[in-house]
Structures are given as structure tokens and as C-alpha cells.
Amino acid sequence: MTEEQNVEQNIPGIDLQDYLVQVPESDIQAHSAEPDSAFVESIRIRGLLEPVFLYDGAVGGQLEILTGNRRIGACRLLDYPILAYVLPGDIPREEALLIALASNLQRSRNRPDEARRIEELMGMGHTEQDIAKALGVRLTEIKSLVKMLKAMHPDVKDRFTKGELSKAAAKAIIRLPQEQQKNLLDHDITRVKEISQEVKAYQNNVFDQLDSIEVPGIVMSEELANQVEYEALKRIGEDRKVLLTAVAILRKKGETS
């Protein structure tokens, strides 16, 4: 079975086979992500298993990359042909973005591509509800991704949406204030384990400071501790641990007040 025959047609009203072509590298705009070595090796061995999405409506005549930055980067590095769905300019660009995102969701998740394009669609005036409905995904999934993006320092967001920072690393680093996030990137701390160690050290420092603070007029009551504990029990993992530590501090202050 050829690559073209193996491609599914999952977009109602659009026969993607009509737009499937091999595209010369020179016809595509510069890509913005450098694929890691494992990704390049996978394409070297197996070829490009899934086409990228391009849009024939970009300024300057070159095809705009809608999805597939890393795949295009790997193909360029390997000097492999680039298999793509080229959506014509007579399809509105917003519709082309939604088609590309929906196909991406049905095939294999590419969080950086999704995040970058969802944020772009919201900048065009689409709501989270609009996007979730158009893509056929749960609203909570879109809300979670948007919330994560809002918590990122611009440098972190840039590296995440380019595929240079994993989702796991991005989720770990946003537990820090944005300036702390940038500081880790500036020191090339991008591995999940290293980030988690920095987060723990930061939180311990914050709790040490909190434990020594006395705020006039604020009563550290059992009621307040119970409210924080209630919120903690609705969460899991590190979030729960952090809030329970805060509960312990509140109760300690309550005992000494």
C-alpha cells in the first residue's frame, strides 16, 4: 500500500486526497522548529508516515506551514521529499487552520502545534467553546491548554510552541513565577527532573518565608485551614502536596496565635 493510499479521509465535506502532493522544499516557508535526533532517526528509517498541512495563501508566494514544523525540519535535514496536504487559498485561512488541527487531533497529538494554532484562533476572536466544538474535543481540554499557555513566560511559550520544550517540562515549569521560568531557560534547565528539583526548592523557600510572616489583622483560623484543605483534596500530585503544606503552616500559626 502506498503512502497516499494509506491516508485516512476524516474531514467531512473535504476529500483530503485531492490536496495530497509532494512539495519541493523551496516552496515552503522557513520552519521554526529543530527536530530532536530521535525524531529525525524515525523519519530516516520509516519515512514521513503522516503528511503535513500547508496553506497556499501566504504572503510572498511560499506555502504556509499549518502543522508539521518538526516533520518538515526533519525532512529538510535528511533531504527527503515532503508529503503534504496543500489547502488552497480559496478556503478561508481560519477554516484551513481548523481542518489541519482537526486532522492532527484524529491522527496523533502534537501539543505544540495545537497550542500555537489554538492561541492564534482565539486571537481572531474564536472562543474556547467555538474551538472545542469545531475540533470535536472536550471544552475542558481546550481550557486546560489555554490556561497552561497563559501561565507561561513568553520565552517558555515560544520554545513550547516550537516543539523545543516538551509538554511535561512545560507543565512542570509553569509552577514557578514567570521570571523564575525565564531564569531556568537562561540557564538551559529544560529537563523535567531538573525543573522539578528547582520547583521543589522554590516552594520550600516560599513556605519558609510564609512561616515567618506575621500579618496584622489576619487570623490564621482553623476555618481558613479547613478551606485550604478542602481545595487541596480536590487536587492531585504536587498541587495537593503544596496546599497541604500550606494547611500545616496555617494550623501551626493558629495554635500559636
Side-chain angles (χ1 to χ4, degrees):
M1 180 177 291
T2 65
E3 178 70 35
E4 289 82 357
Q5 290 170 331
N6 191 42
V7 175
E8 298 176 3
Q9 301 174 25
N10 291 325
I11 309 300
I14 296 287
D15 188 348
L16 292 178
Q17 294 285 356
D18 293 343
Y19 306 114
L20 186 62
V21 295
Q22 282 195 351
V23 182
E25 177 188 341
S26 58
D27 289 354
I28 304 174
Q29 67 179 193
H31 71 286
S32 58
E34 291 296 333
D36 58 38
S37 57
F39 194 87
V40 173
E41 184 67 7
S42 173
I43 289 183
R44 186 188 69 78
I45 294 171
R46 299 178 180 86
L48 182 59
L49 299 179
E50 295 177 359
V52 301
F53 273 83
L54 305 174
Y55 183 59
D56 190 7
V59 178
Q62 287 191 309
L63 300 172
E64 179 186 358
I65 302 171
L66 297 181
T67 65
N69 265 298
R70 292 189 304 159
R71 280 172 280 169
I72 290 172
C75 287
R76 281 176 164 155
L77 188 65
L78 295 165
D79 196 26
Y80 277 18
I82 297 171
L83 187 68
Y85 296 118
V86 180
L87 301 179
D90 55 8
I91 295 177
R93 185 174 177 280
E94 291 178 48
E95 180 65 20
L97 278 175
L98 288 170
I99 290 171
L101 273 176
S103 181
N104 231 32
L105 288 167
Q106 292 172 6
R107 294 167 186 277
S108 60
R109 306 307 298 269
N110 185 333
R111 297 291 184 177
D113 262 349
E114 290 174 33
R116 181 164 53 95
R117 293 314 187 182
I118 286 170
E119 188 172 50
E120 184 176 352
L121 286 165
M122 290 187 68
M124 296 174 178
H126 293 278
T127 65
E128 295 168 345
Q129 290 85 349
D130 293 338
I131 297 170
K133 184 176 180 180
L135 297 180
V137 301
R138 291 176 299 176
L139 177 58
T140 53
E141 193 169 341
I142 300 298
K143 284 182 174 291
S144 176
L145 190 55
V146 170
K147 183 179 179 181
M148 188 170 76
L149 289 171
K150 287 180 178 178
M152 291 179 182
H153 184 278
D155 290 359
V156 173
K157 184 189 298 183
D158 182 60
R159 293 186 64 171
F160 173 65
T161 56
K162 287 180 178 178
E164 297 172 359
L165 191 69
S166 71
K167 184 187 178 187
K171 287 182 71 174
I173 204 170
I174 60 174
R175 297 181 185 279
L176 293 170
Q178 291 195 4
E179 284 308 309
Q180 290 291 112
Q181 296 175 27
K182 184 178 187 306
N183 185 53
L184 293 196
L185 289 190
D186 289 344
H187 289 82
D188 201 30
I189 299 174
T190 57
R191 296 173 59 189
V192 177
K193 184 176 181 180
E194 294 173 333
I195 293 172
S196 297
Q197 290 171 345
E198 293 292 333
V199 170
K200 185 176 181 179
Y202 174 80
Q203 290 173 341
N204 286 339
N205 182 53
V206 169
F207 286 131
D208 287 345
Q209 293 180 42
L210 177 62
D211 200 22
S212 64
I213 291 176
E214 296 294 337
V215 183
I218 300 296
V219 179
M220 303 300 184
S221 66
E222 180 67 17
E223 180 182 355
L224 178 58
N226 287 340
Q227 290 175 353
V228 177
E229 185 175 41
Y230 175 75
E231 290 300 319
L233 295 177
K234 294 193 293 185
R235 292 166 168 77
I236 60 173
E238 189 67 23
D239 286 345
R240 174 180 287 193
K241 181 180 177 182
V242 168
L243 287 174
L244 288 176
T245 303
V247 170
I249 291 172
L250 288 171
R251 287 188 170 142
K252 179 181 176 182
K253 286 184 175 293
E255 292 171 358
T256 58
S257 60

